Amino acid sequence: MKYHQIDRKLFIKNRKNFAEKMQPKSLAVFNSNDIYPIGADSTMPFQQARDLFYLSGVDQDKSILVIFPDAPSEKHREMLFLTETNDHIAVWEGEKLTKEKALKVSGIKNVFWLKDFEKVFFEVMTQCDTVYFNTNEHYRANVETETREARFIKWCKQQFPAHRVAKSNPILQRLRSVKDPIELDLMQQACNITEKAFRRVLNFVKPGVWEYEIEAEYWHEMIRNRSKGFAYTPIIASGNNANVLHYIENNQQCKEGELILLDTGAEYANYASDLTRTIPVSGRYTKRQKEVYNAVNRVKNNATKMLVPGADWAEYHKEVGKLMTSELLGLGLLDKADVQNEDPEWPAYKKYFMHGTSHNIGLDTHDYGLLYEPMQANMVFTVEPGIYIPDEGFGIRLEDDVVIQEKGEPFNLMRNIPIEADEIEEIMNS
C-alpha cells in the first residue's frame, strides 16, 4: 500500500468496542471484498471492505475476520484467515501478508491460512449460539452485485441452520460514526493531499483547458503524495455542467468567463476527504458570479456553526433552508410570494439548492452515521451548500469537512484550503 502503516492500536480498540456490544455466546464474521472482473483477465483495482478494514487494518483480498469474545479457547477469540503466500504469488502479485506481518498490522495473534477456515469455523460454531452477519444497511446503499459477504451468509445459513442470527451493521453504524484521534489524523492527511492538488489546479487553469486535463493534474498530485487518488469519482464541471449534480464526464473545454465546479477529494489509507470549490476559468469572478459565490459561502459558514453536540439532523437542514432562502431573496432569485406560497414538502429554495447540506464522512465518502440520533463530538461531516442557476449558465457549490467539538464551533479539516473569492483570484493571478 502507498500509505504509511497505521498504528494497530486503532484496530485493537475498534474490535474491543465491537465485542462489548455483542450478545453472549456469539461470534461475528467479516469478509473482504472481491476483486471484481471487467472482462478477459482484467479486473477493477481492489478496494477493501470498509468494515473489515475498520476492525483489522487488513487491506488484502480473500481475508476473513472472526470475533468470538466468549470462545472457550483464547486462540479463537480473535482470528484472521488469510491467503497463504508462496514464491509464485510473490513473483506474480507481490508477497501477501505473512502471519507475522498480519499481527503487526492488526494486533491479532491468531492468524490462520484460508484453507483451514471451514475446519476451524465448524469448531467455533459448535460453541456459539448466535452469528453476526455483516450487511450493508447504509441509507443510500444500492447493491446489485452479490458480494463475497452475501455469498458467505448464504453458505453459513445452509451449513448451520439452527443458529440464531444478528446484525453487525447497527453496531458498526454507531461505532464508525464517532472518529478516533488516529482516524482524524488520517482524514487530515487526506485533506492535506487534497489541498496540494487544489493549489496545483489553481495555477494550471486558464481559458481553453479541458476538464479532463484538470482531472489529470489532480491525479498527479494525489498519487505523488501516497494517495490512491480520488475518494470518489471526481466532478470537473465547467459552465452549465455544474448544474448537473453528479456530472462525471469531465470532457468539455473550459471557456473564458465560465466557472468550474470542482468536487474532488483525495483518499488516504482508505479514509476519504470531500472538497468542493468553484473557480473562475479566467482567474476573475464577474460581479454576479461573486455575489452568488459569497452568498453560498455565507450559508456554509453559518451552517457550520450549527454542527454541535446534541444538534438534530432534520432540524439542522430546516435551519440551513432558512439561511438559503434569505440569500436567494437577496440575490433576486426568489421573491416573497415564492416563499409565502411554497410547498412545505419542497420549499421554494429547493429550486436552486436541491440537495442535502451535510453527510457523514470517514472510511466511506458517505459514511455510516445514525441520522436519527443527536450529533456527537468527533463525528465528521461535510458542509456543502450550493446555488445552481441554469438560466445564468453556472452553478456554485462550496464544501469543507469538519469535526464536531465538545464545545464551540467544529474544527475544519480543510481550514488551509483557499475558499474566499478574493484569495482564489489572487492565487490564480499571481
Side-chain angles (χ1 to χ4, degrees):
M1 301 303 152
K2 294 182 178 71
Y3 57 85
H4 294 290
Q5 185 171 312
I6 301 168
D7 190 334
R8 67 184 183 182
K9 287 190 297 186
L10 172 64
F11 310 116
I12 293 169
K13 175 186 173 184
N14 290 347
R15 290 193 301 277
K16 180 177 181 291
N17 289 342
F18 182 88
E20 288 174 351
K21 303 291 185 182
M22 294 173 65
Q23 299 174 23
K25 294 194 70 177
S26 66
L27 64 78
V29 186
F30 301 89
N31 284 270
S32 65
N33 275 337
D34 285 321
I35 296 178
Y36 290 99
I38 297 172
D41 63 345
S42 300
T43 61
M44 297 179 69
F46 177 67
Q47 289 276 355
Q48 184 57 290
R50 298 306 192 229
D51 292 331
L52 176 64
F53 185 82
Y54 177 79
L55 294 167
S56 71
V58 171
D59 210 344
Q60 182 173 297
D61 66 304
K62 298 179 183 175
S63 304
I64 303 175
L65 169 67
V66 178
I67 299 176
F68 185 7
D70 296 334
S73 172
E74 188 277 334
K75 71 178 182 179
H76 291 153
R77 290 172 191 165
E78 291 185 338
M79 296 181 285
L80 267 179
F81 294 85
L82 305 172
T83 301
E84 184 173 4
T85 192
N86 56 43
D87 291 342
H88 177 80
I89 291 174
V91 168
W92 285 89
E93 302 177 25
E95 187 174 287
K96 301 287 186 180
L97 287 173
T98 62
K99 292 183 178 182
E100 293 75 21
K101 179 70 173 182
L103 169 61
K104 189 175 180 182
V105 166
S106 68
I108 296 174
K109 299 175 183 177
N110 303 299
V111 182
F112 301 83
W113 298 133
L114 198 57
K115 61 183 176 62
D116 298 321
F117 175 76
E118 290 193 21
K119 177 184 175 183
V120 176
F121 192 65
F122 177 82
E123 181 179 354
V124 294
M125 285 294 279
T126 66
Q127 300 164 350
C128 80
D129 296 331
T130 303
V131 56
Y132 279 83
F133 291 139
N134 192 35
T135 52
N136 183 354
E137 298 180 26
H138 190 277
Y139 66 101
R140 297 178 63 163
N142 180 23
V143 181
E144 297 182 358
T145 303
E146 186 176 52
T147 63
R148 191 178 191 88
E149 200 77 80
R151 296 197 306 275
F152 168 78
I153 292 170
K154 189 185 299 182
W155 171 83
C156 191
K157 286 181 175 180
Q158 290 173 343
Q159 296 295 316
F160 306 98
H163 280 70
R164 290 195 297 266
V165 300
K167 300 191 300 183
S168 299
N169 194 265
I171 299 174
L172 287 165
Q173 291 252 14
R174 180 165 277 104
L175 294 179
R176 280 181 51 181
S177 67
V178 179
K179 304 301 188 273
D180 182 270
I182 294 174
E183 293 182 284
L184 294 175
D185 287 344
L186 295 169
M187 295 183 71
Q188 183 66 74
Q189 290 187 62
C191 291
N192 292 347
I193 295 169
T194 299
E195 177 191 355
K196 292 178 181 179
F198 177 64
R199 289 183 180 276
R200 179 188 182 100
V201 163
L202 286 178
N203 290 313
F204 174 77
V205 167
K206 60 183 183 296
V209 301
W210 293 77
E211 292 167 349
Y212 56 77
E213 292 181 299
I214 298 171
E215 183 177 347
E217 293 297 308
Y218 274 105
W219 271 113
H220 182 102
E221 198 65 25
M222 289 175 180
I223 298 296
R224 73 194 294 260
N225 282 282
R226 291 184 175 269
S227 168
K228 285 185 290 192
F230 294 100
Y232 51 91
T233 305
I235 297 169
I236 316 286
S238 61
N240 242 329
N241 295 332
N243 294 307
V244 180
L245 295 182
H246 291 112
Y247 171 83
I248 57 172
E249 283 79 5
N250 302 347
N251 62 3
Q252 297 299 302
Q253 194 171 32
C254 305
K255 299 179 178 61
E256 186 173 353
E258 288 183 336
L259 298 180
I260 313 171
L261 189 155
L262 305 166
D263 194 335
T264 49
E267 73 81 50
Y268 179 77
N270 292 315
Y271 282 84
S273 65
D274 192 354
L275 174 79
T276 307
R277 294 290 187 266
T278 307
I279 67 173
V281 175
S282 305
R284 300 282 180 192
Y285 299 94
T286 66
K287 182 174 182 293
R288 177 59 169 174
Q289 289 168 349
K290 189 173 282 190
E291 284 177 351
V292 177
Y293 187 100
N294 288 336
V296 174
N297 202 16
R298 283 193 294 271
V299 173
K300 188 190 78 68
N301 290 337
N302 287 317
T304 300
K305 295 173 185 176
M306 299 180 196
L307 295 174
V308 296
D312 177 82
W313 177 260
E315 287 301 314
Y316 162 72
H317 280 93
K318 287 180 184 176
E319 292 302 313
V320 174
K322 293 177 185 177
L323 294 174
M324 183 58 77
T325 299
S326 176
E327 293 292 351
L328 292 172
L329 287 167
L331 292 167
L333 292 168
L334 295 179
D335 59 33
K336 290 183 179 179
D338 292 323
V339 179
Q340 289 169 354
N341 299 321
E342 70 183 9
D343 178 354
E345 297 300 315
W346 191 256
Y349 77 85
K350 288 286 189 180
K351 179 178 179 181
Y352 299 99
F353 174 39
M354 61 292 295
H355 58 79
T357 309
S358 298
H359 58 77
N360 296 82
I361 183 170
L363 278 169
D364 288 296
T365 305
H366 296 112
D367 206 27
Y368 283 143
L370 300 173
L371 302 183
Y372 48 84
E373 293 190 359
M375 297 180 188
Q376 299 179 46
N378 291 331
M379 288 182 170
V380 186
F381 287 96
T382 64
V383 187
E384 49 180 308
I387 295 176
Y388 307 92
I389 320 174
D391 291 346
E392 298 185 31
F394 67 89
I396 294 173
R397 181 165 69 250
L398 300 173
E399 176 181 22
D400 284 336
D401 304 340
V402 304
V403 187
I404 293 180
Q405 303 295 289
E406 291 284 357
K407 295 181 180 179
E409 295 182 17
F411 180 78
N412 190 350
L413 295 171
M414 294 179 161
R415 63 201 174 280
N416 296 324
I417 303 179
I419 191 169
E420 298 299 328
D422 291 344
E423 183 181 6
I424 286 173
E425 288 181 333
E426 182 181 347
I427 294 170
M428 294 186 76
N429 290 279
S430 61

